[in-house]
């Protein structure tokens, strides 16, 4: 989350009134993330305090947004713990604030777990599998906008900022992923709506009886229709690596995969291509972080991510595919 567009309390009150969400009591800009403007909003309705997130979309358009918001509502209605977008009397989910498309969703309880244990990873794995199954009958369609086509468009833009060694790595990996995407095994991968950005800071936990309790997934604004395996790979690359070195954590990875597979077992094609998709997930976020780091947008609150982290993860995934054999089965 970040703040690119300043929103006044008067402007926020006008939207809250349209949505019948009560009186504005507090409003605070959010500094995490890099894509959209976000505010935590507290309201009071009938003596009850409610917590929401107001988002202004800086890149996504009015035409693109219904996919994300309708997907979140579809999942929420099927019991998946995700933010539920608020509609007005006409059923609209997208509004305009300061000339930007905007939405309001309920704020999930709990906090992000940035030092996960195998128990946290198991909860994420099981819930991700449930999300995939719950989204299988979602009627709307939109591709993963940060998929292979975007990688091919963006790599030439970031190349001037790379060393010769980095250039060789990113170009060879892009060629490898293009080859994988043309394979029959890739065509056989199960597909549907994916989160595509399920990092540690996009999941919330509470503690119940001393045990972690997952309270929700949020920030669905990279979601799209893609292979479920890519979603698994992106999640493994954050939850089940050691952040400093980018190395694989087998205990957390096995806990995640056991829990996911107990809900939705992997197909033969998925087991075959898991190492390649882990590389794809690392490449995707290395490219986007290079782009955001070297070609930043202005924001009043912004924390840039280190692109070198996913370069290290990619090198580890490409150099040691054998350590995934137990996880993939």
């Amino acid at each position: 989350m970040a703040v690119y567009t300043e929103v006044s309390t008067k402007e926020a009150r006008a939207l809250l009134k349209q949505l019948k969400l009560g009186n504005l009591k507090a409003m605070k800009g959010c500094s995490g993330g890099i894509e959209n403007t976000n505010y935590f909003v507290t309201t009071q309705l009938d003596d009850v305090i409610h917590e929401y997130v107001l988002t202004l979309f800086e890149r996504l358009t009015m035409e693109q947004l219904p996919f994300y918001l309708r997907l979140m509502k579809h999942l929420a209605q099927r019991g998946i713990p995700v933010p539920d977008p608020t509609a007005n009397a006409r059923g609209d989910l997208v509004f305009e604030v300061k000339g930007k498309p905007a939405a309001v969703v309920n704020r999930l309880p709990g906090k992000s777990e940035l030092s996960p244990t195998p128990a946290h990873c198991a909860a994420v794995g099981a819930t991700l599998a449930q999300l995939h199954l719950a989204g299988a009958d979602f009627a709307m369609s939109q591709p993963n906008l940060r998929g292979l086509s975007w990688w091919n468009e963006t790599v030439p833009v970031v190349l001037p900022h790379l060393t010769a060694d980095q250039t060789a790595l990113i170009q060879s990996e892009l060629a490898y992923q293009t080859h994988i995407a043309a394979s029959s095994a890739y065509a056989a991968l199960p597909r549907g709506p994916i989160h595509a950005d399920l990092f540690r800071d996009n999941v919330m936990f509470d503690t119940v009886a001393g045990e972690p309790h997952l309270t929700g997934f949020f920030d669905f604004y990279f979601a799209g229709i893609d292979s479920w395996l890519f979603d698994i790979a992106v999640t493994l690359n954050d939850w089940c690596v050691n952040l400093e070195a980018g190395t694989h954590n087998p205990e957390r990875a096995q806990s995640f995969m056991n829990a996911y597979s107990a809900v939705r077992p992997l197909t033969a094609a998925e087991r075959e291509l898991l190492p390649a998709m882990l590389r794809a997930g690392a490449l995707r976020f290395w490219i986007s972080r290079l782009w955001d780091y070297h070609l930043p947008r202005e924001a009043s609150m912004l924390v840039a991510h280190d692109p070198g982290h996913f370069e290290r993860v990619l090198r580890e995934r490409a150099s040691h595919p054998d350590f995934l054999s137990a996880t993939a089965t």
Side-chain angles (χ1 to χ4, degrees), residues 170-302:
I170 206 167
Q171 289 181 325
S172 65
E173 188 61 34
L174 188 57
Y176 173 72
Q177 293 300 333
T178 300
H179 169 73
I180 290 294
S183 69
S184 58
Y186 183 84
L189 293 177
R191 296 173 182 274
I194 68 168
H195 184 284
D197 191 31
L198 197 60
F199 281 35
R200 302 177 194 194
D201 55 358
N202 285 336
V203 180
M204 302 293 271
F205 283 92
D206 269 339
T207 301
V208 177
E211 297 296 328
H213 171 69
L214 192 152
T215 57
F217 293 168
F218 65 99
D219 199 353
F220 276 76
Y221 303 115
F222 285 117
I225 305 300
D226 206 332
S227 71
W228 289 336
L229 187 65
F230 182 74
D231 217 13
I232 293 170
V234 166
T235 309
L236 281 167
N237 276 348
D238 184 67
W239 287 85
C240 304
V241 301
N242 301 308
L243 292 182
E244 290 188 3
T247 52
H248 182 66
N249 185 297
E251 185 181 8
R252 276 186 268 146
Q254 195 67 63
S255 182
F256 174 95
M257 290 304 303
N258 287 347
Y260 183 99
S261 299
V263 177
R264 189 191 74 84
L266 268 61
T267 66
E270 288 177 310
R271 293 193 296 271
E272 176 187 345
L273 286 185
L274 178 57
M277 287 300 99
L278 288 163
R279 291 169 59 173
L283 176 66
R284 176 262 188 264
F285 283 95
W286 186 28
I287 294 170
S288 64
R289 288 191 176 185
L290 285 167
W291 187 45
D292 289 321
Y293 185 82
H294 292 293
L295 302 165
R297 294 171 291 155
E298 291 185 5
S300 62
M301 299 174 68
L302 178 63

Side-chain angles (χ1 to χ4, degrees), residues 19 23 26 37 39 55 61 69 105 113 124 168 173 199 239 241 255 286 299-300 328:
L19 299 178
N23 297 318
T37 290
Y39 287 90
T55 300
T61 66
L69 297 171
V105 303
E113 177 51 68
V124 173
E173 188 61 34
F199 281 35
W239 287 85
V241 301
S255 182
W286 186 28
S300 62

